[in-house]
Structure formats: C-alpha cells, structure tokens
Amino acid sequence: MADKKRVFSGIQPSGRLHIGNYVGAMRNMISLQEDYYCIYGIVDYHAMTVRFDPKEMEKSIVDCAVDYMAAGIDPERSVLMVQSTVSEHSELAWILNTITPISWLLRVPTFKEKRQQNPDNVNMGLLDYPVLMAADIIVYKAEVVPVGDDQLPHLELTREIVRRFNSAFGHVFPEPEAKLGEVARILGLDGVSKMSKSLDNCIYLDESKDEMWKKLSTAVTDVRRKRRTDPGKPEDCNLFTMHKAFSKKEEVDYCARECSTAGIGCLDCKKILLENMYGELEPIQKKQRELRSDKEYVYDVLKQGQRKAKDIAIKTMDDVYGKIGISSFH
Ligand code: TRP
C-alpha cells in the first residue's frame, strides 16, 4: 500500500445508479484498484447542499455502499468510507477556503445551474461545494480522480487551489488528474438529453431483463432511419454508444457495418445489446441482493474505511499545520 499512488473519488448517495454512472466513472473506479491505492468516499456533506430528508440519509448511504461493492469496489484492497466520518475533509476545506477567491466559485457551471434550479436555496455550501471536493481529494494526496465529464470544471479548480496552496505555503499536495471513462457520455433513452434520474430517461443497474428490454426496444436510435430498409448512421445513434460501452469489438463492428448497409434493423441491434448489457449487470445484481441481506457487513466495511482513511488524512494535516504555522498546537 505504502508505495502505491492514491486515487480518490466521491460518490453522491443519491439513490439508484444508472448505466451512465456505471460507464462514466464506476468502471474506472473499479479497474484502478489494480494499480493504485483507492479511497472512495460517500459524500454525505455534499449531499446536504440541496434539500434532503434526514430520515432517508442513513439508508441512502448504505444503499450506495452496497451498489458500489456489488459493482466491484473491493474493501479488501480499497477504502470505502463516509466523508463526514473523517473530519479532516472539512477541516482542510476551511483552510482551502481562505485561499480560494469567491470569483472562482461563482464561475463554476454546476453552481450556476443549481442556483437557477433552486433559487430559494442558494446556500453557502452550494457555492463552496468544489472546495470541499478539493479537500476530499487532496487530504489523501490523491493523484488520480475517476469521474464523469461533468466533474471536469471541479477538477480544474482543485488543481488551481493546489497550485495556490503550494506556492503560498510550500509544497504539500500533488496536482490530481481526472480519469474519464472510455466511452463518451451515454445519452438518455430519448437520445438527446443526458441520462439523468430527474429526466426519467435512464436504464438502471438493477433493472430486470424484461424492464431493460422494454426501455431498449423503444429507445430512440438514429432518427433519420425511418424504415428497416434505410441505412443508418451508427455515429448518430445513442444505442451505438451503448454498444461500444457493453459489447465486444467484433459485435460493435458487426452492428456498425450491418446498420450502415441496412443489413440488420434497429431491433436486431438492440437484441444483441440487451444480451451484453444484461450479461454484465446480472452478476452485479446478484451481489447487490447478497449484500442487502448482510447490512452488518456493510456497516463494518464503512467503519474500517473510516479508520484507514483517517490514518492517511491525519498525516497530511500534520504537513499542513506545519506549513501554516500552527503545528505546535496539534
Ligand atoms: N461532485 C461529485 C459528483 O457530484 C462528487 C464528489 C465529491 C467527488 N467529492 C469528490 C468526485 C471528490 C471526485 C472527487 O459526482
């Protein structure tokens, strides 16, 4: 562990996961476990920047832990923890706040969006969200951050904050880099907007094969392909992006060729996709059911995660206290 570079990513405990989440960040979170020491935080403090129901919070966190473990986060190799249980995250965020100009935060696209969506709840936490995110990452001196492309502006801000800290106080933190999924963003079933729960256009990870087929069979493909005999343009088809995410290269090539020559119709193409998509998700669903019936184990993993994460975070904070001149008191 000691010599491995570190990875951090934050997970919003916000309910059911869809294949966009899975392909965007989760797969990388899983595969990075091979070569890095990975720390994954369920970011409850971030979740509190929008209105939430305290009665649901604990369940959301546990569900989230279950989903990520089912998908392949391995608590033997990696750390799975709850953000608020390692208080160093928010402590470091405070220090970073003092070197972050407000103007940087006002420019962040997600802040602008959320401020429009919830005009009656534009709280400080919403504005400060990226600073806490920066602290999440650098409190472990993480160098790689698997995320979806919507998080890139936040990562850029983290790097700017790191540069500013290092040049103001002396070198403590590496500049972390984002690691994006291999497949460009999967759009929703409508083929236009991004896949998102609030738009109700998702395929969820825990969907049954029948449900999945209902959604796939009616999902929008290349809109210009009106009849079975029209040749299609795979590059204009969201289903083709899904193929690239779930099917083997030969099948991707086959579908591209047969679509563009009208050799197969959209339904044929979707049937192949269904087999591959469900094939990958079925074992995850099985593991989900197992973990849901062993909650004690899940709580235990999070407790151990807290311990392991705290050990690292404390060391970083020692460096920080030294650089900012308060180490004698700690
Ligand atoms: N902002 C991320 C999201 O909405 C969650 C997050 C919080 C995060 N802290 C992080 C992601 C640190 C990567 C690194 O999905």
Side-chain angles (χ1 to χ4, degrees):
M1 171 221 140
D3 49 343
K4 278 190 178 166
K5 289 188 176 176
R6 294 190 197 123
V7 163
F8 182 88
S9 194
I11 306 160
Q12 285 265 11
S14 55
R16 269 174 110 188
L17 290 160
H18 56 68
I19 59 167
N21 306 131
Y22 178 69
V23 170
M26 248 175 142
R27 266 203 193 135
N28 274 337
M29 291 171 67
I30 295 158
S31 64
L32 286 165
Q33 296 179 112
E34 296 292 322
D35 299 315
Y36 292 84
Y37 188 67
C38 298
I39 302 155
Y40 296 126
I42 300 173
V43 293
D44 49 348
Y45 279 161
H46 278 113
M48 293 176 194
T49 57
V50 291
R51 286 212 179 77
F52 69 101
D53 181 356
K55 289 201 273 315
E56 293 293 317
M57 193 47 118
E58 179 168 343
K59 183 177 181 302
S60 308
I61 292 171
V62 173
D63 285 351
C64 181
V66 164
D67 288 347
Y68 277 77
M69 284 158 71
I73 302 300
D74 172 9
E76 299 291 318
R77 281 187 293 175
S78 308
V79 174
L80 186 62
M81 50 84 71
V82 179
Q83 180 192 39
S84 66
T85 66
V86 176
S87 52
E88 284 74 11
H89 288 233
S90 26
E91 225 179 299
L92 179 57
W94 177 260
I95 298 165
L96 302 181
N97 271 334
T98 66
I99 57 163
T100 307
I102 299 175
S103 58
W104 290 3
L105 296 174
L106 290 167
R107 282 203 297 265
V108 171
T110 41
F111 174 68
K112 292 195 211 158
E113 272 166 35
K114 287 196 179 147
R115 139 186 244 175
Q116 277 188 344
Q117 288 161 3
N118 319 294
D120 55 341
N121 187 20
V122 188
N123 61 74
M124 283 291 289
L126 214 48
L127 181 65
D128 207 27
Y129 184 111
V131 179
L132 179 58
M133 178 163 162
D136 294 339
I137 299 167
I138 70 178
V139 82
Y140 303 110
K141 300 188 180 178
E143 294 178 55
V144 179
V145 184
V147 280
D149 59 358
D150 60 321
Q151 297 297 312
L152 289 179
H154 291 152
L155 248 291
E156 206 36 61
L157 199 82
T158 301
R159 294 159 61 85
E160 279 176 289
I161 295 174
V162 163
R163 288 197 282 274
R164 209 175 240 232
F165 184 97
N166 288 344
S167 78
F169 301 114
H171 187 89
V172 176
F173 302 111
E175 273 183 45
E177 281 186 28
K179 172 123 177 113
L180 295 178
E182 266 164 39
V183 177
R185 181 188 284 194
I186 292 183
L187 298 174
L189 297 170
D190 54 9
V192 235
S193 26
K194 88 177 209 195
M195 189 172 278
S196 113
K197 262 196 313 216
S198 52
L199 297 174
D200 191 24
N201 62 4
C202 305
I203 297 178
Y204 293 101
L205 289 195
D206 58 359
E207 212 109 54
S208 72
K209 197 171 185 180
D210 286 347
E211 287 164 333
M212 207 175 271
W213 178 243
K214 254 187 231 147
K215 291 187 176 179
L216 280 181
S217 58
T218 54
V220 177
T221 55
D222 170 10
V223 284
R224 276 164 304 193
R225 191 175 189 199
K226 300 232 162 38
R227 279 173 297 260
R228 164 73 180 76
T229 47
D230 294 340
K233 275 211 167 74
E235 60 275 21
D236 293 335
C237 178
N238 187 34
L239 269 286
F240 187 63
T241 316
M242 294 192 197
H243 259 298
K244 284 194 277 192
F246 289 96
S247 304
K248 290 205 194 68
K249 187 170 181 313
E250 303 86 69
E251 276 169 322
V252 174
D253 293 346
Y254 168 81
C255 289
R257 195 175 58 238
E258 296 300 314
C259 167
S260 52
T261 54
I264 61 171
C266 291
L267 274 179
D268 305 313
C269 179
K270 288 170 168 181
K271 279 181 196 148
I272 302 174
L273 177 62
L274 175 73
E275 291 308 317
N276 295 330
M277 190 182 280
Y278 188 71
E280 182 161 344
L281 299 183
E282 190 184 18
I284 298 179
Q285 299 181 355
K286 180 163 172 278
K287 192 84 203 288
Q288 248 171 353
R289 288 191 292 272
E290 284 166 18
L291 288 165
R292 278 180 191 150
S293 66
D294 193 2
K295 292 278 165 65
E296 217 171 301
Y297 170 65
V298 180
Y299 278 90
D300 201 48
V301 164
L302 294 173
K303 188 79 207 155
Q304 285 181 31
Q306 173 192 24
R307 208 174 31 73
K308 291 189 239 171
K310 190 123 187 143
D311 281 348
I312 305 174
I314 284 174
K315 293 204 184 79
T316 306
M317 290 312 286
D318 280 341
D319 291 353
V320 171
Y321 299 141
K323 296 289 190 208
I324 62 176
I326 55 173
S327 63
S328 302
F329 308 107
H330 283 269

